Amino acid sequence: MTKITLEMVRQRAEADARTYGYYLNPDPKFLQSLLEGLKRNEERYGYPSCPCRLASGKFEFDRDIICPCDYRDPDVTEFGACYCALYVRKDVHEGKTELEPVPERRPMEKQSKAYNVAAAKEEAKATSEVKPKLMYCKQCGYVVFRDDPPYTCPICKAKKEMFAEIKTRTDFTG
Amino acid sequence: MQFSKVPGQKNQHKVVLYALSTCAWCKMTKQFLEDNDVEFEYVYVDLCEEEDKQKIRQHIQSKGGPLSYPTIIVDDNVLITGFRKDKLTEALEL
């Protein structure tokens, strides 16, 4: 396995910020600390889960908090920064808006799994139904398979309301 | 559960800090307490055994807090979530 370097983590975050029109935290010391946290999580879990959230260490349960997390876009829009404040809005980057702690948006049922992985595994086994569904962006056709549509389409930036479920059916009548 | 104790001159309150070893806000909170010479004890929740994680969860939720870090509990009574200088200053009479 290739060694994870801080530079790799930084470049990945910078590239992602550019793609989405965000900025990285303007405080160099704070940013360094966040990147080190991401690096540490990638080393110990195999994926860069949010440095400011308790992870379960099990990919399926942590999928929504792998950076950039599922909650980043609504948090940056509403509060000016994501939960850990790695990604910030332009006005925050320019120092025009002061940051306040961002409240946790992640549902409690998902947070709970990190405190009792064994119980979460049992529960996952018991509920074998597939929750994720196929959805497509009505604007550009991008298709996702997950529980909920993304906050914005990663391809054309359309809002989540533009996503519609793809109803699959088995029909042999021709 | 193994708490690490940080000695300080200001020791009139019992200050417990629940933190994550990777969290930048937790680091700032710890630094703030150290800079203000506050005596406190802390534990990194992500490095705890699962049994202890559950105890921490119960402790935080029994005080009405969300499961966010840092969580600071003063005198087992006042709970502060996140790095809030204003609230820490008030609760610790700094």
Side-chain angles (χ1 to χ4, degrees), chain A residues 124 127-134 145-147 165:
Chain A
T127 52
S128 55
E129 58 170 305
V130 185
K131 258 181 77 189
K133 43 188 185 279
L134 271 174
F145 181 65
R146 39 185 271 169
D147 298 351
E165 191 177 344

Side-chain angles (χ1 to χ4, degrees), chain A residues 139-160:
Chain A
Q139 188 164 285
C140 73
Y142 170 72
V143 173
V144 283
F145 181 65
R146 39 185 271 169
D147 298 351
D148 301 299
Y151 185 72
T152 51
C153 173
I155 305 300
C156 73
K157 312 284 178 259
K159 291 203 169 133
K160 78 191 286 182

Side-chain angles (χ1 to χ4, degrees), chain A residues 102-116:
Chain A
V102 175
E104 178 59 291
R105 186 187 288 274
R106 191 183 192 211
M108 182 51 85
E109 58 179 88
K110 292 200 179 202
Q111 291 182 51
S112 297
K113 292 188 165 75
Y115 294 83
N116 195 343

Side-chain angles (χ1 to χ4, degrees), chain B residues 49-66:
Chain B
E49 296 294 327
E50 194 150 277
E51 195 183 320
D52 289 332
K53 284 181 187 161
Q54 292 188 41
K55 278 185 199 153
I56 293 165
R57 179 188 177 180
Q58 279 164 7
H59 189 201
I60 294 174
Q61 291 186 322
S62 73
K63 304 289 161 203

